[in-house]
Amino acid sequence: MPFTPPSRTPSGPRRRSLLAGAAGAGAALLAGCSPSDSSSATTNGSSPAAARARARAARDSERLAERYEAVLAAHPALSGRLSPLLAEVVLHAEAFGGGRRTAPSTSMTPSTGASASASPPPSPSPEVPVSEKDARTELAAAEREMADRCTKALVDVPGELARLLASVAAAGAGHAFLLTEDEK
């Protein structure tokens, strides 16, 4: 009995239909990057949903920075590990339009020029665990929560703000990993 090879009829979409779909998606992406979608139209909250998402992300980033500062006040030995992460969280708050100071309060020297930096450092109002490991674990959980909120907000906001939220969500996931990496 001679062997006959199976039919070569593709089971999925054809190459031409995939290329046509990719070209349409590429055109949509290019339209999303056009000058009419500039930062002034999309990052300043052109829609109420965008304004709410921006304000909430700024507030959440500020609260997260306060948690970092509380942990640093309670566990100064973690300064080398947490200070770079705190600096990034402060930058996130500023990118969303928050009014945080640029220098972490752990330095105890107010930065010049910003009136908010002249205020006393926030008290460790968030409860800080006694052990450094537990404190890092709680910070990692807070980073994950922030990343989840940013990810959920992506569907309701325009391009540039969505990219900022996605970037902050990715950074939060990275921070959570860095905070817990030695626990594995």
Side-chain angles (χ1 to χ4, degrees):
M1 175 174 216
F3 176 74
T4 57
S7 164
R8 303 273 301 157
T9 307
S11 60
R14 302 197 83 141
R15 186 180 315 164
R16 286 183 189 145
S17 62
L18 288 175
L19 290 175
L29 287 174
L30 288 176
C33 296
S34 70
S36 66
D37 191 26
S38 67
S39 63
S40 64
T42 58
T43 59
N44 291 336
S46 60
S47 71
R52 283 191 305 272
R54 176 177 288 284
R56 179 174 181 161
R59 206 171 38 250
D60 288 348
S61 294
E62 289 171 348
R63 287 184 188 139
L64 184 58
E66 289 171 0
R67 290 183 82 163
Y68 270 96
E69 290 170 342
V71 170
L72 282 168
H75 302 289
L78 290 174
S79 178
R81 188 172 191 169
L82 298 185
S83 292
L85 302 179
L86 170 59
E88 285 189 15
V89 171
V90 168
L91 289 174
H92 297 162
E94 291 172 354
F96 288 121
R100 296 271 312 157
R101 64 193 170 278
T102 57
S105 68
T106 56
S107 65
M108 297 299 176
T109 57
S111 63
T112 59
S115 61
S117 65
S119 64
S123 64
S125 56
E127 288 295 318
V128 177
V130 176
S131 81
E132 290 179 358
K133 181 179 178 180
D134 289 343
R136 286 186 293 110
T137 300
E138 282 192 8
L139 279 175
E143 286 277 10
R144 283 187 208 98
E145 290 171 11
M146 174 76 179
D148 289 345
R149 281 191 300 274
C150 286
T151 302
K152 288 177 184 172
L154 287 173
V155 297
D156 296 327
V157 298
E160 192 65 29
L161 181 54
R163 286 186 282 278
L164 179 59
L165 286 167
S167 178
V168 170
H175 291 178
F177 172 77
L178 291 173
L179 288 165
T180 60
E181 73 177 324
D182 63 335
E183 294 177 4
K184 294 177 170 87

